Amino acid sequence: MTSHSKVCSLIRGEELVSVESMLNELDLGLTTVQDVIDRNVDSGSAEDSYIGVNLGLYVQHTEGVVRRLREFLATEGGARP
C-alpha cells in the first residue's frame, strides 16, 4: 500500500512538499509520456496505435487538470504546502 505522507520526485528523489512541486513533477511525467507517444507514432501496429490513443487522452486530461490546479492556486494567493 502506498503511503501518502511522503511523495518524492522520481528524478531527484526529493520530497515534494508543495502543490506547485507536485504539479511540476506531473508536468515532467507528461513530457515523458508525450515523448513516448511521439517516438512510437510511426510504429504501424494496431496495438501500438491503440496504446498511443489512450496515452494521448491521458496526456490531454492530465494537462487540463494541471492547468486548472494552477489557475486555482493563482486565485488562492499562491501555492501552499
Side-chain angles (χ1 to χ4, degrees):
M1 183 171 193
T2 303
S3 169
H4 298 291
S5 61
K6 185 174 182 182
V7 178
C8 294
S9 168
L10 290 174
I11 302 297
R12 293 173 297 281
E14 299 168 355
E15 188 173 358
L16 303 174
V17 295
S18 71
V19 173
E20 187 65 34
S21 66
M22 289 180 227
L23 289 171
N24 290 339
E25 195 71 16
L26 274 174
D27 280 335
L28 177 62
L30 288 174
T31 300
T32 303
V33 172
Q34 188 62 54
D35 286 347
V36 169
I37 293 169
D38 293 344
R39 279 195 308 262
N40 292 307
V41 74
D42 295 325
S43 68
S45 79
E47 183 179 342
D48 287 343
S49 175
Y50 175 75
I51 291 168
V53 167
N54 285 324
L55 287 174
L57 291 171
Y58 165 78
V59 168
Q60 289 179 355
H61 170 75
T62 307
E63 284 174 339
V65 170
V66 168
R67 187 173 36 257
R68 293 290 291 144
L69 285 170
R70 289 191 190 282
E71 290 170 2
F72 176 74
L73 287 173
T75 60
E76 293 295 315
R80 291 178 292 238

